[in-house]
Amino acid sequence: MKQYLKRAWAEISLPNLESNIALIKKLAGNSDIMAVVKADAYGHGEGEICHCLEKSGIRYFAVSNLDEALQVRGFCPESEILILGYTPPEYAEYLAENNIIQGVLSKEYALELVRNHKNIRCHIKIDTGMGRIGLKYDTPEECAEEIKNIINTDGLSVEGIYTHFAVADCDDEENIKYTDNQEKFILDTYEILKSQNINLKHVHFMNSASLCYRANPKSTLARAGIIMYGLCPNYPLPIPDGFKPVMSLKAVVSHVKTVKKGDCISYGRTFVADHEMKIATVTIGYADGYSRLLSSKADVLLNGKRCRITGRICMDQLMIDVTDNNAEEGDIVTLIGTDGNETITADELAYLYNTIGYEVVCGISKRVPRVYIE
Ligand SMILES: *Cc1c(COP(=O)(O)O)cnc(C)c1O
């Protein structure tokens, strides 16, 4: 294992990633898996994650931008890479030279790309209800017409169409219907093109939530993001059994002391001891991406027991209540992960400050070395 400073670090379990992939393969059935590795593989470190995914047989990767695509191309010379978002057209030559597939958001954008460089491979993005990017039409017929226009662009090779669900992680009737309509729109568009002898290799719409709750083999690719990393598309809705979080977050106890009733802990004096307490200081803070919004709210694990954070989280350190714990300097503290019989997930932390597990893992900062467990 690479040397790293035992201050604050993230352990990335490659066996857990592999077992999650095996589960995703079952859910996806005949759909090929497109591993979504944007944002440094959701904070897990794209190099090692890409290697591990390739070893597990993954051949399709999705990223958010050209920089990420070029990185992934370095790790995966043979795989297909799709850029889901916008690439400024003046970089079109990088797409062509590195055999990267670009998401095309409009006819004008397609023209701009090929004006800068020929031989551009693309999938066309259709906005069926996400309201973010892509062709937006009232009917699949109109949408198919515009796709045909784009297909006729010289120098552009259109290999598929795709869309993105807005509420596939919701289980109420109205939202299920909304997703049904999004799914129907893209499949109808695809069928219309087919009936006119335009046979695109790919039509895809599945994300993690739809893979978990409404897998559809008509999606030629399953764009799996968050469940690959073992987190929920929408906590506290459950993910299927067996998925395991890939990232753990750890730090160490730097200092242990006893405080008297009335003593204050940390900035703002938001925490005042109401009895004699034992307090430990831990070597992680908000500059490591452990949110300050968790001040006095979250627990950490030490010696297999939960300990509450006392007072405000600082930039590089935080304090915990170890009155009932025999904490010692140098002990390992688990902020995300398992210690003994206790587990804290990124989803649990997310819930405490009203966000999603995605933001928790993506937010773990560069200062925190990723340590890969084989
Ligand atoms: C991020 C993203 C995904 C993956 O979403 P998860 O919920 O993590 O599975 C899929 N498709 C698009 C277009 C995305 O932007």
Side-chain angles (χ1 to χ4, degrees):
M1 196 180 291
K2 222 175 70 204
Q3 266 316 106
Y4 64 99
L5 182 64
K6 274 213 160 126
R7 176 195 159 262
W9 68 98
E11 289 178 0
I12 308 297
S13 166
L14 297 176
N16 285 5
L17 178 66
E18 284 164 5
S19 80
N20 293 342
I21 287 292
L23 292 172
I24 292 170
K25 280 184 180 160
K26 279 194 201 140
L27 288 173
N30 286 330
S31 308
D32 268 315
I33 297 169
M34 174 174 262
V36 182
V37 293
K38 60 194 180 191
D40 202 21
Y42 290 40
H44 292 66
E46 64 195 354
E48 295 283 341
I49 296 291
C50 285
H51 278 142
C52 182
L53 291 172
E54 269 213 320
K55 266 200 313 196
S56 305
I58 303 294
R59 290 295 171 265
Y60 291 90
F61 292 83
V63 296
S64 83
N65 65 56
L66 181 61
D67 269 338
E68 292 178 351
L70 295 176
Q71 291 280 340
V72 172
R73 177 52 80 221
F75 303 125
C76 310
E78 305 297 333
S79 291
E80 297 287 20
I81 302 170
L82 171 65
I83 298 181
L84 297 165
Y86 178 76
T87 300
E90 58 264 41
Y91 298 104
E93 66 173 289
Y94 293 96
L95 298 172
E97 280 168 6
N98 294 282
N99 195 26
I100 291 163
I101 306 169
Q102 174 60 45
V104 155
L105 322 174
S106 69
K107 165 100 178 154
E108 295 68 36
Y109 180 61
L111 289 173
E112 278 290 301
L113 283 172
V114 295
R115 204 168 56 79
N116 280 276
H117 203 280
K118 302 288 174 203
N119 303 324
I120 301 293
R121 299 173 66 195
C122 78
H123 289 193
I124 298 174
K125 179 74 182 280
I126 305 173
D127 181 2
T128 58
M130 176 69 183
R132 191 165 64 179
I133 47 173
L135 310 188
K136 190 162 165 53
Y137 285 95
D138 290 336
T139 65
E141 287 75 16
E142 293 167 274
C143 190
E145 272 312 303
E146 182 69 349
I147 290 167
K148 274 162 52 190
N149 285 332
I150 298 177
I151 286 173
N152 285 330
T153 309
D154 202 31
L156 188 75
S157 161
V158 178
E159 300 175 9
I161 57 175
Y162 68 110
T163 196
H164 194 46
F165 291 149
V167 285
D169 56 351
C170 298
D171 63 351
D172 63 285
E173 204 179 321
E174 200 181 318
N175 282 319
I176 289 171
K177 211 165 134 218
Y178 194 89
T179 310
D180 288 343
N181 286 337
Q182 285 196 268
E183 193 174 86
K184 186 168 183 325
F185 193 103
I186 187 152
L187 286 172
D188 285 354
T189 305
Y190 186 69
E191 285 305 319
I192 290 165
L193 292 168
K194 209 161 148 186
S195 73
Q196 301 178 19
N197 280 325
I198 297 167
N199 290 298
L200 297 176
K201 183 168 182 211
H202 289 295
V203 52
H204 51 107
F205 44 83
M206 267 200 282
N207 58 1
S208 293
S210 50
L211 251 176
C212 291
Y213 309 128
R214 47 178 302 145
N216 185 338
K218 287 186 176 154
S219 184
T220 58
L221 298 171
R223 301 191 307 263
I226 199 76
I227 49 166
M228 215 164 56
Y229 308 103
L231 298 175
C232 292
N234 186 1
Y235 185 81
L237 279 190
I239 48 174
D241 284 343
F243 282 93
K244 296 179 205 148
V246 172
M247 183 193 286
S248 304
L249 181 64
K250 306 206 166 160
V252 298
V253 170
S254 60
H255 184 72
V256 183
K257 63 174 173 283
T258 301
V259 299
K260 296 194 298 283
K261 181 178 171 179
D263 284 353
C264 303
I265 307 292
S266 196
Y267 289 118
R269 296 201 287 134
T270 59
F271 187 90
V272 183
D274 58 5
H275 58 286
E276 185 176 288
M277 295 175 79
K278 212 162 66 167
I279 299 289
T281 302
V282 182
T283 54
I284 192 167
Y286 61 77
D288 300 293
Y290 188 82
S291 178
R292 186 170 172 278
L293 296 170
L294 292 167
S295 297
S296 288
K297 278 191 184 161
D299 291 335
V300 305
L301 305 179
L302 177 56
N303 298 318
K305 285 195 205 161
R306 282 179 177 257
C307 306
R308 180 56 54 86
I309 292 171
T310 53
R312 292 215 178 126
I313 293 167
C314 310
M315 188 183 287
D316 316 307
Q317 309 178 64
L318 57 82
M319 276 64 81
I320 57 175
D321 177 2
V322 290
T323 308
D324 301 319
N325 201 310
N326 39 18
E328 285 177 32
E329 184 199 321
D331 282 352
I332 291 182
V333 175
T334 300
L335 299 106
I336 299 172
T338 297
D339 181 356
N341 295 323
E342 287 284 354
T343 295
I344 293 173
T345 62
D347 290 318
E348 173 185 331
L349 296 184
Y351 193 69
L352 290 175
Y353 66 109
N354 209 8
T355 184
I356 50 178
Y358 299 69
E359 190 177 358
V360 174
V361 287
C362 289
I364 301 304
S365 71
K366 275 218 178 82
R367 186 163 83 175
V368 178
R370 272 61 172 176
V371 181
Y372 295 89
I373 313 291
E374 295 292 338

